[in-house]
């Protein structure tokens, strides 16, 4: 856990939280809405930590007993909802961990703060159970709902929470942050930023990844070879990609960046704007022989492949369709 000052971007949300603290107008329920890895959890934890801090400032002091417990994630009055079923937060989860627990006064802090991550997984019954608590919460209670999709909440939940939507963080900011904090070279930072698309957590994950170069090289090698791969060699190519099954979204993202570069070069003939600058020779070649619509088909096919894999369509089949589309275009 860290304080607000460690968080990159999200200035308006931080401002909102700090104002609420200074003006003593902290609400009983908040929704933090934004994509995976966008920073919801960091924001929620910084807020919770600040509220519980013994120094009572607008940043956690990081030194008092409460802050130390929070850093170790064992502050007894900052409670994380656990759910047993991976895809559902059930009415029982809400009843036992929140409704029955919230009536017990805080153990050692001014507030009792509940963090419900992946709150979109609450089914309707669970939401209705939670609603009862949100309607008449004890004075000391604060509920933080973190979600990738606030639209799944009942209107009655939405109307009783303060909703804060996370915005994308600018590329420049993320790049400077990565270069300074993770000491990665300019070129690598560009690639991370290009595929994080404003999502700091995603950029950091990539910057920290040891596999970064390996996946990137594998993906680019494949693209460059693809034209020469005969149909009967396809199975071998698919098997090779299968080695990156667990990082397949990253693998796809590298291919996507490569084709975006091709598209950009085709439109501008400017090598300075490319992410994969060192690939200029092959990007130029590809740009010369591909049409705009062909490249767009490939980019679309990559998106489609991601969606299909998320929906658990057979891996080999998805990859084969993708490779064929790339070959055809
Ligand atoms: Zn403190």
């Amino acid at each position: 856990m860290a304080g607000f000052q460690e968080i990159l971007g999200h200035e308006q949300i931080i401002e909102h939280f700090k104002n609420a603290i200074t003006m003593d107008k902290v609400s009983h329920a908040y929704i933090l809405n934004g994509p995976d890895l966008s920073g919801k959890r960091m924001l929620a934890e910084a807020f919770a930590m600040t509220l519980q801090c013994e120094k009572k400032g607008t940043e956690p002091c990081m030194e008092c007993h409460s802050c130390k417990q929070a850093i170790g994630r064992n502050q007894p009055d900052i409670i994380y909802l656990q759910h047993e079923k991976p895809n559902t937060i059930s009415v029982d989860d809400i009843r036992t961990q929140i409704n029955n627990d919230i009536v017990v006064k805080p153990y050692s802090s001014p507030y009792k703060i509940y963090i419900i991550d992946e709150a979109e997984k609450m089914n309707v019954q669970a939401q209705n159970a939670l609603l009862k608590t949100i309607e008449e919460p004890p004075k000391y209670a604060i509920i933080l709902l973190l979600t990738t999709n606030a639209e799944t909440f009942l209107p009655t939940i939405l109307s009783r929470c303060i909703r804060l939507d996370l915005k994308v963080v600018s590329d420049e900011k993320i790049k400077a942050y990565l270069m300074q904090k993770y000491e990665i070279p300019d070129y690598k930072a560009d690639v991370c930023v290009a595929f994080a698309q404003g999502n700091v957590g995603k950029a950091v994950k990539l910057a920290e990844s040891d596999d970064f170069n390996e996946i990137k090289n594998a993906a680019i090698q494949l693209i460059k070879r693809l034209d020469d791969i005969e149909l009967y060699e396809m199975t071998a190519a698919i098997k090779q990609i299968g080695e990156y099954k667990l990082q397949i979204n990253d693998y796809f993202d590298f291919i996507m960046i490569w084709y975006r570069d091709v598209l950009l070069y085709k439109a501008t003939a400017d090598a300075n704007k490319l992410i994969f600058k060192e690939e200029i020779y092959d990007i130029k070649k590809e740009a010369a022989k591909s049409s705009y619509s062909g490249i767009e088909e490939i980019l679309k096919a990559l998106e489609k492949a991601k969606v299909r894999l998320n929906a658990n369509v057979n891996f080999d089949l998805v990859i084969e369709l993708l490779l064929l589309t790339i070959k055809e275009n």
Side-chain angles (χ1 to χ4, degrees), residues 49 52-56 59-68:
M49 216 170 156
Q52 305 290 40
C53 174
E54 289 159 21
K55 303 269 164 69
K56 304 205 175 302
E59 280 278 354
C61 74
M62 311 303 272
E63 283 167 356
C64 70
H65 186 58
S66 168
C67 283
K68 280 189 181 145

